[in-house]
């Protein structure tokens, strides 16, 4: 059975997973430079080893209340191939758990009832041990040009 090698992390009360191959590094919080008139999703920039990287808070796209940073808060620096170009984005996480294998046979399509998150931002739901794990479609969240983020920003 195939599995997805994934980094699991907490956002609010939810456990999320992203493919480990997209993770460049995990950082303790660093100073954020707020960008005037930027979207709420990626309102700031951080310095990652001399490179300027946008910092995104997925809570905005999911309509979750913003949270104060704690000693467990981390920045997950990710890299995605968008239209043939490597794009690096920092993702705020309330707590990073571990890298584990999520069996693809344990993932399921997003249910049409009971999920409060926009379904276009969720690839699937899986299980890791005893917990359900949400597998978000980060490129859809971060690079959406269809206006869904505007709707998320207005919640």
């Amino acid at each position: 059975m195939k599995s997805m090698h994934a980094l699991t992390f907490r956002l609010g009360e939810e456990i999320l997973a992203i493919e480990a191959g997209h993770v460049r590094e995990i950082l303790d919080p660093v100073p954020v430079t707020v960008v005037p008139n930027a979207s709420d999703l990626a309102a700031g920039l951080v310095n990652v080893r001399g490179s300027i990287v946008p910092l995104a808070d997925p809570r905005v796209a999911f309509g979750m209340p913003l949270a104060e940073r704690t000693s467990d808060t981390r920045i997950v620096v990710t890299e995605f191939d968008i239209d043939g170009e490597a794009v690096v984005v920092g993702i705020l996480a309330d707590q990073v758990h571990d890298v584990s294998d999520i069996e693809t046979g344990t993932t399921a399509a997003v249910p049409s009832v009971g999920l409060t998150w926009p379904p276009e931002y969720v690839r699937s739901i899986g299980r890791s041990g005893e917990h359900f794990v949400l597998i978000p479609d980060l490129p859809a969240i971060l690079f959406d040009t269809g206006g869904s983020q505007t709707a998320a920003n207005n919640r």
Side-chain angles (χ1 to χ4, degrees):
M1 182 179 287
K2 288 180 123 182
S3 62
M4 179 178 86
H5 200 57
L7 174 75
T8 58
F9 63 97
R10 186 175 58 76
L11 194 64
E13 299 300 316
E14 303 288 341
I15 304 296
L16 288 81
I18 57 174
E19 292 182 47
H22 291 296
V23 177
R24 289 180 70 180
E25 61 185 302
I26 300 166
L27 304 173
D28 289 335
V30 297
V32 177
T33 300
V34 176
V35 178
N37 300 318
S39 78
D40 290 340
L41 176 66
L45 301 171
V46 294
N47 182 334
V48 177
R49 305 189 193 293
S51 296
I52 304 302
V53 174
L55 179 63
D57 188 344
R59 291 171 173 279
V60 173
F62 290 136
M64 298 172 73
L66 299 180
E68 294 292 321
R69 295 186 184 168
T70 69
S71 61
D72 290 330
T73 301
R74 297 291 179 268
I75 297 171
V76 179
V77 181
T78 61
E79 183 175 327
F80 296 94
D81 180 17
I82 305 298
D83 296 328
E85 182 180 336
V87 179
V88 177
V89 177
I91 306 291
L92 274 176
D94 293 339
Q95 183 179 43
V96 171
H97 290 230
D98 59 12
V99 175
S100 59
D101 289 325
I102 298 175
E103 298 296 328
T104 55
T106 66
T107 61
V110 179
S112 59
V113 176
L115 188 67
T116 59
W117 295 13
E120 64 271 20
Y121 293 156
V122 181
R123 280 187 26 207
S124 62
I125 298 173
R127 285 189 76 83
S128 178
E130 306 253 333
H131 303 282
F132 283 107
V133 178
L134 185 72
I135 303 169
D137 186 344
L138 285 178
I141 294 167
L142 299 172
F143 309 109
D144 178 14
T145 57
S148 295
Q149 288 186 16
T150 302
N153 287 342
N154 293 329
R155 287 185 199 173

